[in-house]
Amino acid sequence: MVSAPHEAMHRIFQECPGLFSRLSDVLGLELPPLTSAEPLTVDLTETEPLERRVDTLLRIETRNDGPFLLIVEAQGKKDPGKTASWPYYVTYLNNKYRLPVLLLVICQYHATAAWAARPLTIGLPQWPTVTTRPLVAGPHNMPVITNVAEARKDLALATLSAITHADNPDVDAILKTMSVALRDTPESIAEPFVELIAQGLGNRPAAQQWRNLVAVDLSFYTSPLSEEIRDEGRAQGREQGRAQGRAESVLLILGARGIDVSDATRDKVTACDDPELLRRWLVRAAFVTGSEEIFGEETIADR
């Protein structure tokens, strides 16, 4: 099953095809100036019943050296099957489009990045017929961006950096930098980056940190993530309101029946945020003879 981080690591190139022109500098790859980039179909299926798909495929135009194809693969863990599939992607696309092909692999783990960077050879040990050399971006070589001005300079690169450094000990500072950088960015531009970072963090603890930052720093956005956070807040507010109403009803019934309510009982009832527990206390309030009896077998001391 494809994970959210997997999608984010390559989808950012679909959202921002020109990102590779800046990433190539980070990776130390000398290329002529790039003039354009467009997504192509990721379906590499042949006529026989064998389906193969790359994650993202772009046709990159350069100013002087002509076009080439860029395969972007998001790799979450080591996969022995890639030893065969990655060379196939490269040779198939070269044959189909008659263009040079570059394979870029995006990773979030150091071990996976080291594994992905190994040359893949087809042929005899003494004479490899085909060698595939993936270009790898990951936590080992992506910059850690904690400067707001630097993040604003290239939001796509900063977003990919945040995704690849999802397990970095300084991820809180990285995410705070991104939230501040996106705060003054037009919503239509910022929204994809907000969502991609959320996807890229997956179920890591940092994901909740990003949700908190979106809720506070980017609360005026209407992205799917911010709307989800607002819906959760509204639901929580309704739940709290229901609990508060029941707590008031418990005390009201006890008072109407002339039962003295101790400070300890009042504090316990008003502090409770469990609507179901308050419902039970509300039922008991109609017939008990002492305020502490609403707690049933519980006593104030027990709590």
Side-chain angles (χ1 to χ4, degrees):
M1 182 177 179
V2 176
S3 65
H6 175 279
E7 289 296 286
M9 283 192 285
H10 74 84
R11 272 193 52 233
I12 189 171
F13 289 89
Q14 297 177 12
E15 295 284 348
C16 307
L19 170 60
F20 181 69
S21 65
R22 282 95 72 192
L23 185 61
S24 60
D25 294 334
V26 173
L27 299 176
L29 182 66
E30 294 186 7
L31 292 173
L34 310 184
T35 58
S36 67
E38 62 172 311
L40 301 177
T41 177
V42 299
D43 190 350
L44 307 186
T45 308
E46 300 183 72
T47 54
E48 62 261 27
L50 178 63
E51 184 175 306
R52 292 187 176 96
R53 291 179 183 273
V54 297
D55 288 333
T56 287
L57 178 62
L58 302 174
R59 177 189 170 107
I60 306 288
E61 296 286 344
T62 67
R63 189 174 300 163
N64 301 318
D65 292 354
F68 67 91
L69 300 180
L70 175 65
I71 303 169
V72 184
E73 285 280 283
Q75 198 63 33
K77 60 183 180 180
K78 299 177 184 179
D79 181 0
K82 297 300 184 180
T83 303
S85 59
W86 282 346
Y88 171 84
Y89 296 162
V90 172
T91 54
Y92 173 85
L93 288 169
N94 176 258
N95 184 65
K96 179 178 180 179
Y97 291 96
R98 300 297 179 182
L99 291 175
V101 181
L102 184 62
L103 171 62
L104 172 65
V105 183
I106 311 295
C107 304
Q108 289 179 301
Y109 300 107
H110 287 275
T112 306
W115 165 84
R118 298 176 305 169
L120 304 174
T121 59
I122 299 175
L124 299 177
Q126 63 271 37
W127 193 271
T129 305
V130 177
T131 300
T132 301
R133 296 179 58 219
L135 187 64
V136 179
H140 64 295
N141 59 2
M142 288 296 293
V144 175
I145 299 177
T146 55
N147 179 279
V148 174
E150 186 180 352
R152 284 179 177 150
K153 190 184 303 181
D154 194 333
L155 290 172
L157 183 63
T159 296
L160 182 62
S161 176
I163 293 170
T164 55
H165 288 292
D167 292 309
N168 190 297
D170 295 326
V171 67
D172 287 355
I174 296 170
L175 296 179
K176 181 60 180 177
T177 299
M178 284 303 302
S179 70
V180 174
L182 291 170
R183 187 187 300 161
D184 299 325
T185 303
E187 184 175 348
S188 60
I189 297 175
E191 179 181 334
F193 301 130
V194 172
E195 302 298 324
L196 283 166
I197 291 173
Q199 282 188 341
L201 296 175
N203 58 3
R204 295 172 172 83
Q208 185 57 50
Q209 168 71 0
W210 182 243
R211 293 174 69 87
N212 295 339
L213 289 170
V214 171
V216 175
D217 292 348
L218 307 174
S219 58
F220 49 88
Y221 284 162
T222 57
S223 67
L225 177 62
S226 59
E227 285 300 302
E228 180 183 329
I229 293 172
R230 291 189 188 100
D231 288 342
E232 290 175 357
R234 286 190 285 266
Q236 185 178 12
R238 288 193 295 270
E239 194 75 4
Q240 291 173 344
R242 184 158 58 247
Q244 182 180 356
R246 287 183 178 175
E248 292 173 353
S249 297
V250 170
L251 299 176
L252 182 63
I253 291 176
L254 291 173
R257 295 184 60 224
I259 296 175
D260 183 54
V261 180
S262 67
D263 290 341
T265 296
R266 185 180 302 277
D267 290 344
K268 180 175 177 178
V269 170
T270 55
C272 181
D273 59 1
D274 184 343
E276 181 57 31
L277 182 57
L278 285 164
R279 185 190 68 79
R280 294 200 297 271
W281 294 349
L282 182 60
V283 171
R284 293 171 186 166
F287 60 82
V288 296
T289 57
S291 65
E292 291 189 11
E293 294 177 22
I294 65 170
F295 305 126
E297 297 179 357
E298 298 176 278
T299 66
I300 296 295
D302 293 332
R303 302 294 288 183

